[in-house]
Amino acid sequence: MESELHSIGELARASGLGVGTLRYYDGAEVLTPAWVDPQTGYRWYRPGQLADARLLARLRRVGLPLAGIRAVLGAAPGSGTAARVLDAHLRRLEEGLADARRELSLIRVMTDQREQPMTTTPAEVRFTVLAEELAAALDAVRFAVGGDPGTPALAGVLFEPDGPVLRLVATDRYRMALAEVPATTAPDRPDGGTIVPTALVDALRALLGAGAADAEAEVALTLGGGLVRAETGGHRIEGAALDFDYPDHRVLTRLEPEHRIDLSAAELRGAVETGATRTLPSGPNGADCAVTVLTLTADGRLAVAGAEPGPGSTSGDLRVAVNRDFLLDALRVGRPEQLVLELGGPIAPLAIRTPGREGTFSLLMPVRVPDLG
């Protein structure tokens, strides 16, 4: 019999697997020998098992877990099992690579900020914007301001001059909102930014509300030197800026989406308000919150998925989970008729845009759901 079989040493040399590795996979019942010598315990393999051993070596090199290796090697011909296992593993690898890229981007930002921190502007900059447009921008970002005492830098709105526009940014780490306001007069030095604390943001919004009847009313803003000043209609408010480094929002806004879907804002709001949810840790400090799962079906429609994957869903459907209340907050901003949703995958931020307002949009961080594949 031995003359018709490969010894374990021969199989190891021909497949690239070590003898110890072959013994391990025998014990795991993945690649068992055809015959074991009862006297010596030496393992012998059929010639046909060489192909399995070589396949096993490749599956190990791509990091397929033991359960997946067992499923591939044990798959019945024509069942499609091996293809499904390999496709699922490829998706995990791609998601892991996306996670690694995002983490490396954040690490680069953190290391850059150690050398050139994004601090408040050291000297004053002055510019003028329309009161009506500044009020709309504040409304577009206010819901995303952080309230966690452990992250005081997020307890306000970043006012960031950028050439002919003033950009407003707010985030609580679970969502981010951005808005742009055209400046009628802009500073010569659009460097840095100023974090306007929440109380001063609300006071500014109240001041703008008092003069909202005049569509041409302007606001003169002065930022820098640790102070914020706003003047309009003979009224003036000022206060101290927050003296912290603000996170670099460009890390997330540079991400390229894979899908852009145009849809009715009212229909999406209705679907989210009445659709199924799951309860998962998705709020500040890991609190349990309702989570909505959005799915992109095979025909390109965006829908709210059921509480569990339904019989019509497939492993190829894109499914993105987000905090339901955060999603509704973002949909209420400006009450638009149409929306553009940008999706990059189950672990990429969900972008919510309004057509015609390129610089004003919201980002929601995805919630990890184990059975979304």
Side-chain angles (χ1 to χ4, degrees), residues 294-305:
L294 301 176
T295 179
L296 186 62
T297 60
D299 59 359
R301 293 181 299 105
L302 189 79
V304 175

Side-chain angles (χ1 to χ4, degrees), residues 212-226:
D214 183 1
E216 300 300 320
E218 293 184 331
V219 183
L221 291 171
T222 304
L223 306 176

Side-chain angles (χ1 to χ4, degrees), residues 184-198:
T184 55
T185 60
D188 294 330
R189 297 180 302 98
D191 56 338
T194 297
I195 307 174
V196 182
T198 305

Side-chain angles (χ1 to χ4, degrees), residues 188-252:
D188 294 330
R189 297 180 302 98
D191 56 338
T194 297
I195 307 174
V196 182
T198 305
L200 192 53
V201 167
D202 293 341
L204 175 57
R205 182 62 185 89
L207 176 65
L208 298 175
D214 183 1
E216 300 300 320
E218 293 184 331
V219 183
L221 291 171
T222 304
L223 306 176
L227 294 175
V228 179
R229 184 183 308 115
E231 299 172 271
T232 182
H235 300 279
R236 169 176 167 172
I237 61 171
E238 67 178 36
L242 295 179
D243 187 16
F244 296 105
D245 296 340
Y246 201 81
D248 190 348
H249 55 85
R250 291 163 292 191
V251 173
L252 293 176

Side-chain angles (χ1 to χ4, degrees), residues 92-278:
R92 286 193 296 270
L93 292 176
E94 290 172 341
E95 291 169 4
L97 179 59
D99 276 343
R101 284 175 173 162
R102 187 157 47 250
E103 287 300 320
L104 285 172
S105 295
L106 291 171
I107 289 169
R108 288 193 184 100
V109 171
M110 293 170 69
T111 54
D112 288 345
Q113 288 180 341
R114 290 170 66 93
E115 299 175 0
Q116 294 179 324
M118 191 175 177
T119 57
T120 54
T121 309
E124 288 187 354
V125 293
R126 298 179 177 85
F127 50 96
T128 306
V129 297
L130 290 176
E132 185 178 56
E133 293 183 349
L134 180 57
L138 290 171
D139 291 341
V141 304
R142 176 62 179 85
F143 74 95
V145 172
D148 184 356
T151 54
L154 306 184
V157 174
L158 177 68
F159 280 48
E160 182 182 58
D162 187 4
V165 300
L166 170 66
R167 183 178 299 108
L168 274 59
V169 185
T171 182
D172 60 3
R173 296 182 301 148
Y174 302 93
R175 52 192 169 170
M176 178 180 288
L178 299 92
E180 290 184 353
V181 183
T184 55
T185 60
D188 294 330
R189 297 180 302 98
D191 56 338
T194 297
I195 307 174
V196 182
T198 305
L200 192 53
V201 167
D202 293 341
L204 175 57
R205 182 62 185 89
L207 176 65
L208 298 175
D214 183 1
E216 300 300 320
E218 293 184 331
V219 183
L221 291 171
T222 304
L223 306 176
L227 294 175
V228 179
R229 184 183 308 115
E231 299 172 271
T232 182
H235 300 279
R236 169 176 167 172
I237 61 171
E238 67 178 36
L242 295 179
D243 187 16
F244 296 105
D245 296 340
Y246 201 81
D248 190 348
H249 55 85
R250 291 163 292 191
V251 173
L252 293 176
T253 56
R254 281 195 297 259
L255 297 177
E256 287 295 327
E258 296 180 8
H259 306 277
R260 289 184 174 88
I261 303 102
D262 294 275
L263 71 168
S264 162
E267 289 181 7
L268 180 58
R269 279 196 299 269
V272 174
E273 289 171 348
T274 60
T277 61
R278 307 186 191 188

